[in-house]
Amino acid sequence: MITSLSLVQGFGVDIGGSGIKGCLVDLDKGQLIGERVRIETPQPSLPDPVYRVVAEIVGSFGWTGRVGVTFPGVMKSGVAHTAANVDKSWIGTDVDAGMSALIPGTVETLNDADAAGLAEMRYGAGRDRRGVVLMLTFGTGIGSALFVDGHLVPNTEFGHIQVDGEDGERRASAAAREREELGYPEWAQRVDRYLDVLEAGLWPDLIIVGGGVSKKAHKWVPLLSTRTPVVPAQLQNDAGIVGAALAAHENLEPRAHG
Ligand code: BGC
């Protein structure tokens, strides 16, 4: 029997508040190829220094193909529209253009949670799931990615729904847990309240929870009282890189029409 030895490769970069991580990705398996490279996010996290770090990471692999890059804010046609947890100077910046000037291949930018969600839907906890699936990433903020029969509804910003008069992510993000030194049971109550409000307006069939805290899912997911089943993400730290590479490869970036 002849088996195909060809490997579909992509390249993804995940821009986070503390680190910028990139790696070659095996797009058949949804796995990193070799070790990822991580460089501290420049502080303040202004566009130009961040572009240079992204270019350095891509260059260190000698990669010249399409590059997928995540950004922790609303991304439409390459332009950042919000910057909740990074420097406000990103707002209105054409990130695609800024990076393309320093990187040989075409750059595709997308929201970080959308990228993580794409990876989970293709390779992880959401594989083959139809209906309405909501991915939530708990980190510095709360990111969201909504899928209808496997299709992404880009740039949902459910981290910012109002919960008891406050921005949802302010009290229920993983950063809030650390900042306020909450134990998992106490934090789970906040996540539960957050999900309560979310479920008042949305009836998903499945919620996938990602971010570092998904590794400890057994400590808090069973404490939730949501009507929607909640499962931990499977790709964990690599989901953003894998999803970005996938989006660039398949050109999944949502384009404005008209
Ligand atoms: C941002 C989202 C982002 C999320 C996770 C939120 O504060 O508004 O765009 O996906 O944080 O980084």
Side-chain angles (χ1 to χ4, degrees):
M1 194 176 79
I2 300 170
T3 52
S4 168
L5 292 175
S6 71
L7 181 67
V8 183
Q9 291 188 3
F11 199 94
V13 179
D14 195 17
I15 299 178
S18 57
I20 301 176
K21 296 151 279 178
C23 200
L24 272 176
V25 176
D26 174 341
L27 290 171
D28 289 322
K29 296 188 180 139
Q31 287 170 0
L32 304 191
I33 302 171
E35 289 289 301
R36 67 177 194 180
V37 168
R38 180 187 189 278
I39 296 179
E40 298 281 302
T41 306
Q43 299 300 338
S45 53
L46 300 171
D48 282 334
V50 168
Y51 298 158
R52 284 196 286 274
V53 170
V54 174
E56 185 184 337
I57 293 175
V58 177
S60 71
F61 285 83
W63 178 260
T64 55
R66 300 177 81 88
V67 177
V69 181
T70 75
F71 180 76
V74 169
M75 287 302 301
K76 283 171 96 70
S77 302
V79 176
H81 287 264
T82 67
N85 295 305
V86 280
D87 197 87
K88 299 290 176 249
S89 60
W90 285 90
I91 297 173
T93 301
D94 190 334
V95 183
D96 271 12
M99 292 203 193
S100 296
L102 301 179
I103 293 171
T106 314
V107 176
E108 296 273 349
T109 40
L110 74 166
N111 172 264
D112 55 357
D114 283 349
L118 287 169
E120 284 299 327
M121 293 303 287
R122 179 68 61 92
Y123 310 104
R127 200 167 41 184
D128 301 327
R129 291 297 300 237
R130 297 185 67 76
V132 178
V133 179
L134 176 65
M135 163 102 187
L136 293 172
T137 61
F138 291 84
T140 310
I142 298 177
S144 60
L146 185 67
F147 295 85
V148 182
D149 288 341
H151 297 288
L152 173 67
V153 180
N155 290 311
T156 55
E157 285 284 319
F158 294 137
H160 301 295
I161 58 168
Q162 292 298 295
V163 179
D164 303 324
E166 265 192 286
D167 209 29
E169 69 176 24
R170 175 94 199 119
R171 284 174 57 80
S173 66
R177 192 184 79 79
E178 283 162 26
R179 194 172 56 234
E180 299 181 45
E181 299 178 357
L182 304 176
Y184 277 101
E186 222 177 328
W187 180 66
Q189 276 183 12
R190 291 191 182 189
V191 176
D192 207 34
R193 175 71 190 131
Y194 166 74
L195 292 174
D196 213 30
V197 175
L198 195 52
E199 282 190 320
L202 197 70
W203 282 68
D205 300 299
L206 180 72
I207 296 176
I208 303 171
V209 289
V213 282
S214 62
K215 285 186 215 131
K216 299 274 165 67
H218 62 283
K219 293 195 174 184
W220 57 279
V221 170
L223 305 176
L224 303 176
S225 65
T226 50
R227 65 167 177 254
T228 313
V230 178
V231 294
Q234 289 173 6
L235 281 85
Q236 298 184 343
N237 279 344
D238 302 332
I241 297 175
V242 173
L246 181 66
H249 180 74
E250 298 191 347
N251 200 8
L252 290 168
E253 190 222 8
R255 294 260 171 226
H257 296 285

